[in-house]
C-alpha cells in the first residue's frame, strides 16, 4: 500500500523550489502573465505565486492544470526528469518510471496506484494528449468525466485526455496499474 505524502506535501516528492523555478521559467518563455496563467489553469493567483516561489507544494491536479495551459508534458516541471519522482493526487499515487520522446510525441510512463473510496478528477491536458492504462490488480473506472470506462486486472483503457477526467477504484481493493501519457509535439 503506498504511503501518503508527508504532511504539508500533497503533490510532488521533489523540492518545491525546483518545480516553482521551472513553472516560472516556462511561463515567462511563453510571455504569459501570472494572472493569465492562473485564470487559464483555473487556480488562484496566490496559489500559482506560491508554487512559483516554492512555498507551496500543489496537488497533482494543480500541476497538470498548469502544464496543460503551458502546453508541456508534466515532466517539464522537473529540473532533471529522471525516473523516481512520486506524485500524489486525491486518489492516485504515481511513480515516474521513464520519459522518452520520438519525432511526434513525448511519453511519460508511470507506475500507478488508485486508492479505494475516493474519486480523483483531473483537469484537461493540452489538445491531443492521450492516456493509456493497463490494470494489473483491482478494478479501475477512469476516463472522461462524462463517460468513464472500466477495466479489470488484465484490461486496458485509452482515451483522449484533453477533457476533465476521473480515476476511481471500484470496490474496496486498491488498483495497481501502469499509466502512459502521450503528449503530441506541437
Amino acid at each position: 500500500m503506498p504511503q501518503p505524502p508527508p504532511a504539508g506535501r500533497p503533490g510532488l516528492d521533489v523540492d518545491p523550489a525546483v518545480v516553482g523555478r521551472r513553472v516560472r521559467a516556462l511561463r515567462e518563455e511563453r510571455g504569459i502573465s501570472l494572472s493569465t496563467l492562473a485564470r487559464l489553469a483555473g487556480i488562484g493567483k496566490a496559489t500559482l505565486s506560491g508554487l512559483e516561489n516554492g512555498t507551496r507544494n500543489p496537488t497533482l491536479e494543480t500541476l497538470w492544470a498548469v502544464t496543460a495551459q503551458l502546453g508541456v508534458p508534466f515532466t517539464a516541471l522537473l529540473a532533471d526528469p529522471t525516473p523516481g519522482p512520486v506524485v500524489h493526487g486525491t486518489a492516485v499515487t504515481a511513480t515516474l518510471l521513464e520519459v522518452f520522446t520520438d519525432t511526434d510525441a513525448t511519453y511519460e510512463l508511470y507506475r500507478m496506484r488508485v486508492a479505494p473510496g475516493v474519486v480523483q478528477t483531473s483537469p484537461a491536458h493540452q489538445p491531443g494528449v492521450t492516456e493509456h492504462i493497463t490494470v494489473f490488480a483491482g478494478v479501475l473506472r477512469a476516463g472522461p468525466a462524462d463517460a468513464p470506462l472500466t477495466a479489470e486486472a488484465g484490461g486496458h483503457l485509452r482515451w483522449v485526455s484533453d477533457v476533465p477526467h476521473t480515476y476511481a477504484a471500484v470496490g474496496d481493493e486498491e488498483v495497481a496499474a501502469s499509466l502512459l501519457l502521450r503528449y503530441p509535439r506541437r
Side-chain angles (χ1 to χ4, degrees):
M1 177 91 100
Q3 296 297 312
R9 301 213 41 216
L12 184 61
D13 286 348
V14 173
D15 183 355
V18 170
V19 174
R21 282 191 299 272
R22 291 295 300 144
V23 169
R24 176 176 283 130
L26 290 164
R27 177 180 60 76
E28 289 174 350
E29 283 173 16
R30 285 154 180 75
I32 301 171
S33 72
L34 185 88
S35 297
T36 299
L37 180 57
R39 180 179 47 77
L40 292 171
I43 61 174
K45 184 176 175 182
T47 298
L48 183 57
S49 177
L51 169 61
E52 286 191 358
N53 290 317
T55 60
R56 290 196 181 188
N57 192 13
T59 65
L60 179 60
E61 295 87 347
T62 298
L63 294 172
W64 266 323
V66 169
T67 58
Q69 296 309 313
L70 291 172
V72 298
F74 178 79
T75 52
L77 298 184
L78 308 176
D80 178 16
T82 57
V86 178
V87 292
H88 304 277
T90 307
V92 174
T93 299
T95 303
L96 178 65
L97 300 175
E98 187 173 355
V99 177
F100 48 100
T101 61
D102 65 22
T103 56
D104 298 328
T106 296
Y107 299 86
E108 297 173 350
L109 178 63
Y110 294 89
R111 178 178 45 245
M112 181 171 81
R113 301 238 177 237
V114 182
V118 64
V119 176
Q120 177 173 319
T121 301
S122 291
H125 296 291
Q126 58 264 34
V129 172
T130 55
E131 295 194 25
H132 308 260
I133 298 177
T134 302
V135 178
F136 300 112
V139 179
L140 178 67
R141 181 172 298 122
D146 62 352
L149 309 163
T150 302
E152 298 177 348
H156 176 262
L157 303 174
R158 177 192 184 279
W159 70 90
V160 178
S161 55
D162 55 7
V163 296
H165 46 285
T166 62
Y167 308 87
V170 176
D172 296 333
E173 184 181 352
E174 178 182 74
V175 171
S178 66
L179 167 63
L180 179 69
L181 284 112
R182 181 183 184 277
Y183 297 88
R185 294 209 177 196
R186 291 182 169 186

